[in-house]
Amino acid sequence: MITVSASIEINKPVSEVFAMASDPYNQAKWNHHEGLSDIKKLTAGPLGAGSRYSATSNDAGKIEVEYLQVEKDKLFEQALDTKFGKIIHRAEFSKTKAGTKLNHSLTIEPKGMYKLMGGVIKGVAHKRLEHLGVLLKEYLEG
């Protein structure tokens, strides 16, 4: 099991940052690194615990995402099933004087040959997580 975390402050209100970060359709607008496309909601109703989506990612191919926890403007936790393994992405949002602090983490359970690459995966995952925060900040603060 591999865990990495990162934080970033974004000069926008919590509600705006949460909405842009938590919704897969919004993620596709700013997350150019993943290159999300073909996003489909697989469950009915608003975004919440149990919501499921499918999508295509530039580097992971077809993925499925299930939201394990959603507390509007506070946190979301999603499980991604990818060819590399299972990934849990947790994001927490808090109000600051300037806007919003985003603390987020990835917990990765590699599968197959990726189990042998733990150190490399940890380094790449940490850089990716930090980069995701920067992409979100640049998009929102534009």
Side-chain angles (χ1 to χ4, degrees):
M1 192 82 67
I2 299 164
T3 302
V4 296
S5 60
S7 296
I8 194 163
E9 190 162 337
I10 300 172
N11 297 322
K12 291 290 180 180
V14 170
S15 60
E16 194 174 331
V17 177
F18 181 86
M20 195 55 65
S22 64
D23 183 278
Y25 296 105
N26 286 339
Q27 289 172 8
K29 295 175 185 176
W30 58 267
N31 185 354
H32 309 294
H33 187 85
E34 301 293 332
L36 296 176
S37 61
D38 302 321
I39 301 167
K40 294 179 182 77
K41 191 160 194 271
L42 305 174
T43 52
L47 180 68
S51 293
R52 290 183 25 252
Y53 292 80
S54 67
T56 302
S57 166
N58 282 345
D59 59 353
K62 287 295 255 180
I63 59 172
E64 284 201 17
V65 179
E66 179 178 358
Y67 285 77
L68 305 175
Q69 214 179 347
V70 178
E71 291 182 42
K72 189 173 181 341
D73 298 340
K74 292 187 176 147
L75 70 90
F76 71 86
E77 186 174 72
Q78 54 188 183
L80 295 86
D81 189 14
T82 74
K83 67 182 180 182
F84 307 115
K86 186 166 185 168
I87 301 169
I88 304 292
H89 178 219
R90 182 177 178 88
E92 299 181 50
F93 305 81
S94 57
K95 185 177 179 178
T96 65
K97 285 183 180 182
T100 302
K101 177 135 187 191
L102 166 61
N103 293 307
H104 56 150
S105 63
L106 295 174
T107 303
I108 305 164
E109 188 175 335
K111 63 183 174 185
M113 68 177 183
Y114 299 106
K115 289 181 181 181
L116 304 173
M117 302 168 57
V120 172
I121 291 171
K122 185 172 186 167
V124 169
H126 187 255
K127 286 180 184 174
R128 165 104 24 117
L129 194 61
E130 287 182 330
H131 186 66
L132 289 176
V134 170
L135 288 173
L136 179 60
K137 179 180 177 74
E138 288 174 350
Y139 182 86
L140 286 170
E141 293 181 4

